[in-house]
Amino acid sequence: MEIITRMMDGSISYDPEGRLEPVTSGPGAKQEDKIERLKEVPIFEGCSQKQLRSVAKITRVFDVVAGTVLARAGEPGDEFFLIIDGTARVEVSTEKRVLLRPGEFFGEMSILDGGPRSATVVADTPVRLLVISRRHFSMLLKDVPGLTQTLLVTLSNRVRQAEGRAERLGSASTGL
Ligand code: CMP
């Protein structure tokens, strides 16, 4: 089970052996503080105060240290992640790494199709994340105007990049 899932369901504490920073905006966080944070995230720009309040109810904020594995290729995934601070590294293949920056998200593929994680994602620096569980994801899509379109555009880019890479690998192996 992914570390964030275990943090969310309480089966591990937030700070096991000092690997994870205390959660500054976790379960006890003030709703208003969370709303102020959400306002800084580009995909929530178009949200009204009411919509932000709904989003705040279904999101958790986690701080993780560099090196934390946030998603592991091949494992089931039940959360969608949005980076607020720091960078995360998507290990797409042994040769290919993609850096995700604040405002970018990951974990949407397993949430959308129910399949296993397509890549391993690791915190490249200390990272602050917004985490939304599968059961709340459809509420997020409803509450955030334009999010469905942003997801589709991002997925299209990821498919294009993957196909480009497969083509380059094919040409390299055939020498054409
Ligand atoms: P998911 O498969 O749920 O978990 C791993 C995540 O890595 C995946 O969702 C995407 O969010 C992300 N991911 C996979 N491939 C790429 C890629 N080529 N570029 C950027 N992110 C990716």
Side-chain angles (χ1 to χ4, degrees):
M1 196 190 279
E2 289 172 348
I3 195 163
I4 296 283
T5 311
R6 286 152 61 208
M7 287 158 68
M8 288 181 67
D9 73 9
S11 61
I12 60 166
S13 67
Y14 293 125
D15 193 12
E17 297 152 17
R19 282 181 299 126
L20 301 169
E21 293 295 310
V23 177
T24 50
S25 319
K30 284 203 196 94
Q31 203 71 347
E32 289 311 313
D33 291 347
K34 216 196 261 184
I35 291 172
E36 285 312 303
R37 291 235 176 106
L38 292 177
K39 282 183 183 165
E40 292 163 16
V41 181
I43 62 166
F44 300 130
E45 261 168 13
C47 288
S48 64
Q49 194 70 10
K50 186 164 171 251
Q51 286 164 329
L52 286 176
R53 256 200 305 280
S54 312
V55 174
K57 277 191 199 139
I58 57 170
T59 53
R60 309 279 298 274
V61 183
F62 286 98
D63 289 339
V64 299
V65 295
T68 304
V69 177
L70 299 163
R72 203 180 286 278
E75 289 191 356
D78 290 316
E79 281 87 27
F80 172 74
F81 302 88
L82 186 77
I83 300 174
I84 304 182
D85 265 326
T87 54
R89 181 174 77 240
V90 185
E91 299 180 346
V92 180
S93 69
T94 43
E95 308 85 36
K96 171 87 176 168
R97 304 275 187 271
V98 176
L99 264 196
L100 300 180
R101 298 184 166 78
E104 296 189 281
F105 54 79
F106 61 93
E108 75 291 349
M109 292 169 72
S110 291
I111 293 291
L112 289 169
D113 70 4
R117 295 294 192 202
S118 59
T120 294
V121 185
V122 182
D124 209 48
T125 63
V127 178
R128 174 163 290 172
L129 293 160
L130 279 184
V131 186
I132 292 121
S133 65
R134 172 188 302 282
R135 71 196 170 95
H136 289 133
F137 190 67
S138 50
M139 284 163 74
L140 184 76
L141 293 182
K142 186 171 69 60
D143 284 334
V144 182
L147 180 57
T148 305
Q149 188 166 357
T150 305
L151 276 171
L152 289 172
V153 170
T154 304
L155 274 168
S156 304
N157 283 333
R158 288 177 181 169
V159 170
R160 261 185 220 285
Q161 284 170 13
E163 286 190 341
R165 201 170 53 254
E167 221 164 82
R168 283 192 297 280
L169 283 173
S171 315
S173 67
T174 56
L176 295 176

